[in-house]
Amino acid sequence: MQTEVNTVLLRREVMVRLIKAFLSGDFEKQADALPFDMRPKHAEVPFRCCIHKERAILRERAIAALGGSVEQDDDKTHLGEYARRALEREKPDNTVLTVIDTACQGCVPSRIYVTDLCQGCVARPCTTACAFGAISIKNGRSVIDGEKCKSCTKCMQVCPYSAIVKIKVPCEDACPVGAITKNGSGHAQIDVSRCLSCGACMASCPFGAVAEKSQMIDILRAIKSDKKVVAMIAPAIAGQTPVSINKVASGLIKAGFDIVMEVAEGADITAKTEAKDFAERMEKGDKFMTTSCCAAYREMVKKIVPELKPYVSETATPMHYTAELAKKRYPDCVTVFVGPCVAKRSEGLGDEFVDYVMNFEEMGALFVAMSIELAQCEDYVFDVETSKQARNFALTGGVAESVKVASGGKVDVRPTCVNGLNPKVVREMMTWAKKGECPLGNIVEVMACEGGCVAGAACLNNKKIAARGVAAYADKGEDIKPDENN
Amino acid sequence: MENEGKIRVRICLGTTCFVMGASKLQELEHLMPPEWKDKVDISADTCLGMCQNSNSGFMKAPFVKINDEMIGGATVEKVIDKLKELIV
């Protein structure tokens, strides 16, 4: 996803500075100074109209990084006060995304627009293509009547000069379920009752106006306490840095975590449980089952397409199983899921075994703030060996494949993948739910992000390179062993 | 002696540089004009040691070394501009 490098780097710099501020022992004062340290007097103004707007936006970015809601900000509260609240709160905020109001451009509303390239041709295919009579010719050029236009884009497709364009609002365009819209002042607002927390809006906004409410300070507090803190690293981590997963794990230990577990351990349980669930459903006469590990998809079923619920596997996610194992193995420990995903933060908030979620960007910022050079770290040895299929959970097709292998050839498994959620796919899935059948296969793997978790909204690496890293690590693992009791 | 006479580009892929933007620089080879391939030798380094120079060293990351010149705050655009100067 991550295309807008400048906005991503701003976010990371804010995070690095706040972690350094926390570690300095002078947290509140340093947090307060952040906008001024990043844009000191007479500094260059790289992006916005003036230095004051840059600082105002950086302040709001810092509020999100400290775990606060920009929606509830009154403009008057100092960052130092937000830092203090972060030090005192019992638990993180219960929603994961916030709109950086001042950063939001308030884009022109989305519509179909005839540009100057219109030649006013004789054929006028646009007027005939329009089923709503929205296009007429005025002064020798096509004009669209906004009242009648349904944004079907037929006119765009037939124009021989490509003179008609769709003006997009990137966040609205990226959202698979229409959960982000404009408020009265034209700025973005998130409808929490629809939001899947997939992070597509955050990744697509060219102004960096959507941010996660970070739990970094809560995590740093846990590390500082005498409790054991377990980092549970998602399979996608294998392709996130130029070094091996074992060195990244050692990096986390250097950063203060006590134990590192692979979430692939939980993925092995998910694969086996899901294979069992699948076999039972097929025996019962069901036509299809969908996977259940993608957190944004789970939210989609809950909030948007409840009709799908009977077809979703009851199996819990790898994060859940891993956290459960951690709590058993290390009683009283604090569990921190480390992953590429925005929606996992939302899932984590509702999971009894998961205490906090840290994304890969925040992990990177932690390494930078603590000057941890991963290449110099030792190779961490994990307590449990994970399977090839579990390590591949982060790639599209990986989860369905794991169910197939875990089934051990005893059931007819025809896997298919929903590779990325968008409005069209959501509508299509609705029809499967209504018919009780999916024409594409009998086990449907759903990934909200195109490419799988390696394309999550909070990654460090380019998704193609990341996918290669995950596959290479998976290839070193043994095949999953089908459960004999199934 | 395959690389003799070529412009040497060393991209720092140390942790700080990688997190602060060098991940994007990995794509340099595909983003620069294809005809430069014979003139430029791109390699990745673990850490050029630049980020440790001062407390706020991460501010100037990522680093790229073009022949003997160190470039801070490197972006694909910045590196391509520098290469253009050297090639033309």
Side-chain angles (χ1 to χ4, degrees):
Chain A
M1 282 191 187
Q2 207 191 96
T3 48
E4 308 304 329
V5 170
N6 288 332
T7 55
V8 168
L9 294 181
L10 273 172
R11 190 161 70 210
R12 291 183 194 167
E13 189 182 339
V14 168
M15 188 52 78
V16 170
R17 285 181 178 271
L18 286 175
I19 297 169
K20 280 184 172 244
F22 177 91
L23 298 171
S24 73
D26 193 13
F27 186 33
E28 291 166 44
K29 212 168 149 200
Q30 288 205 15
D32 224 8
L34 182 140
F36 306 92
D37 287 341
M38 277 181 76
R39 296 290 177 265
K41 207 170 188 176
H42 307 307
E44 195 192 335
V45 180
F47 306 114
R48 306 286 181 159
C49 58
C50 64
I51 201 165
H52 310 292
K53 181 150 186 180
E54 294 245 341
R55 287 175 183 161
I57 295 169
L58 288 167
R59 174 181 165 277
E60 292 185 8
R61 290 192 194 288
I63 291 173
L66 290 166
S69 282
V70 179
E71 284 83 355
Q72 281 152 27
D73 175 50
D74 60 3
D75 285 1
K76 288 185 284 191
T77 309
H78 287 259
L79 281 175
E81 170 61 16
Y82 279 102
R84 193 191 59 77
R85 288 181 200 169
L87 290 177
E88 285 177 5
R89 68 176 161 234
E90 302 254 313
K91 57 180 181 192
D93 202 87
N94 58 356
T95 58
V96 302
L97 290 169
T98 184
V99 176
I100 311 286
D101 189 62
T102 312
C104 177
Q105 172 76 353
C107 304
V108 194
S110 179
R111 64 194 155 103
I112 311 293
Y113 178 73
V114 184
T115 65
D116 286 352
L117 297 173
C118 173
Q119 306 290 308
C121 65
V122 176
R124 296 176 183 173
C126 55
T127 56
T128 41
C130 181
F132 310 103
I135 303 185
S136 58
I137 309 291
K138 280 184 193 135
N139 301 327
R141 293 255 291 267
S142 295
V143 176
I144 298 176
D145 179 348
E147 300 278 306
K148 292 180 182 166
C149 175
K150 305 270 186 229
S151 298
C152 72
T153 73
K154 286 264 164 58
C155 56
M156 277 170 62
Q157 293 160 29
V158 295
C159 176
Y161 297 100
S162 304
I164 308 178
V165 295
K166 183 178 182 187
I167 300 179
K168 287 183 190 172
V169 178
C171 60
E172 290 179 11
D173 200 58
C175 180
V177 293
I180 191 162
T181 50
K182 287 169 176 299
N183 62 16
S185 66
H187 292 123
Q189 69 180 5
I190 296 169
D191 177 356
V192 181
S193 71
R194 290 185 72 80
C195 177
L196 313 182
S197 310
C198 68
C201 53
M202 181 178 104
S204 71
C205 177
F207 288 88
V210 186
E212 279 187 86
K213 290 181 224 172
S214 179
Q215 301 170 359
M216 199 67 219
I217 302 305
D218 310 74
I219 295 165
L220 290 169
R221 280 167 58 200
I223 287 176
K224 218 175 146 188
S225 75
D226 359 317
K227 285 199 169 172
K228 258 202 168 92
V229 186
V230 182
M232 309 179 293
I233 53 176
I237 208 164
Q240 286 303 309
T241 71
V243 304
S244 71
I245 181 172
N246 309 75
K247 288 199 189 298
V248 179
S250 283
L252 287 166
I253 298 288
K254 260 194 185 171
F257 287 90
D258 297 287
I259 295 132
V260 183
M261 283 171 75
E262 279 186 82
V263 173
E265 245 192 83
D268 269 318
I269 304 173
T270 297
K272 285 179 188 169
T273 315
E274 211 150 89
K276 195 167 169 239
D277 188 10
F278 178 71
E280 282 167 9
R281 282 164 185 260
M282 292 303 113
E283 197 160 313
K284 211 174 71 191
D286 279 11
K287 300 275 171 52
F288 78 104
M289 181 187 93
T290 82
T291 55
S292 60
C293 50
C294 171
Y297 170 59
R298 290 167 82 96
E299 288 286 293
M300 181 192 110
V301 173
K302 201 162 82 186
K303 293 177 173 172
I304 314 288
V305 198
E307 300 91 330
L308 267 170
K309 190 157 190 300
Y311 305 99
V312 183
S313 174
E314 309 269 332
T315 312
T317 66
M319 172 170 87
H320 173 88
Y321 288 130
T322 309
E324 190 179 8
L325 285 172
K327 293 274 182 183
K328 268 188 209 149
R329 245 177 246 168
Y330 317 104
D332 284 331
C333 72
V334 175
T335 53
V336 181
F337 175 82
V338 184
C341 180
V342 176
K344 279 287 175 207
R345 201 187 296 276
S346 172
E347 186 191 326
L349 285 167
D351 193 302
E352 58 178 316
F353 300 118
V354 180
D355 293 306
Y356 302 113
V357 172
M358 171 165 89
N359 69 35
F360 288 157
E361 276 197 356
E362 292 163 343
M363 175 189 77
L366 185 62
F367 292 148
V368 175
M370 292 184 157
S371 299
I372 294 170
E373 175 50 55
L374 293 176
Q376 289 164 8
C377 289
E378 287 166 19
D379 286 324
Y380 186 86
V381 182
F382 296 102
D383 284 344
V384 177
E385 187 77 5
T386 52
S387 78
K388 175 182 176 176
Q389 284 74 24
R391 293 173 182 183
N392 259 331
F393 259 54
L395 304 179
T396 287
V399 183
E401 174 69 16
S402 79
V403 175
K404 189 172 182 170
V405 177
S407 293
K410 281 182 227 163
V411 205
D412 168 39
V413 189
R414 285 171 290 119
T416 183
C417 299
V418 169
N419 186 14
L421 291 179
N422 58 56
K424 202 177 150 209
V425 168
V426 175
R427 281 196 298 275
E428 197 181 342
M429 294 187 76
M430 244 177 236
T431 66
W432 302 346
K434 288 197 177 117
K435 281 189 206 147
E437 194 171 350
C438 167
L440 306 171
N442 60 3
I443 173 119
V444 185
E445 175 196 293
V446 187
M447 291 278 192
C449 298
E450 193 180 335
C453 312
V454 287
C459 283
L460 284 173
N461 210 348
N462 163 304
K463 82 173 177 189
K464 276 188 195 154
I465 301 174
R468 283 203 296 272
V470 169
Y473 179 59
D475 282 341
K476 287 189 209 153
E478 303 270 329
D479 273 337
I480 194 166
K481 298 202 177 43
D483 230 326
E484 292 307 319
N485 308 328
N486 279 358
Chain B
M1 289 284 110
E2 190 193 336
N3 290 328
E4 208 174 329
K6 285 188 182 181
I7 301 166
R8 279 190 313 130
V9 177
R10 291 167 69 194
I11 300 169
C12 180
L13 290 188
T15 304
T16 295
C17 283
F18 190 79
V19 172
M20 298 314 290
S23 54
K24 187 77 188 165
L25 291 166
Q26 294 174 108
E27 297 160 43
L28 177 66
E29 197 160 352
H30 304 286
L31 294 171
M32 68 180 196
E35 63 269 24
W36 288 6
K37 286 219 170 106
D38 302 337
K39 297 176 182 145
V40 180
D41 168 43
I42 301 173
S43 62
D45 254 286
T46 6
C47 180
L48 298 171
M50 295 304 289
C51 54
Q52 305 305 335
N53 283 356
S54 72
N55 188 38
S56 58
F58 75 90
M59 285 289 297
K60 294 196 191 80
F63 293 95
V64 171
K65 201 172 179 187
I66 301 182
N67 287 339
D68 291 323
E69 191 185 345
M70 191 65 81
I71 296 183
T75 58
V76 171
E77 296 76 23
K78 226 173 168 178
V79 172
I80 286 182
D81 282 350
K82 186 74 209 171
L83 287 173
K84 215 177 268 170
E85 270 174 40
L86 294 171
I87 285 170
V88 175

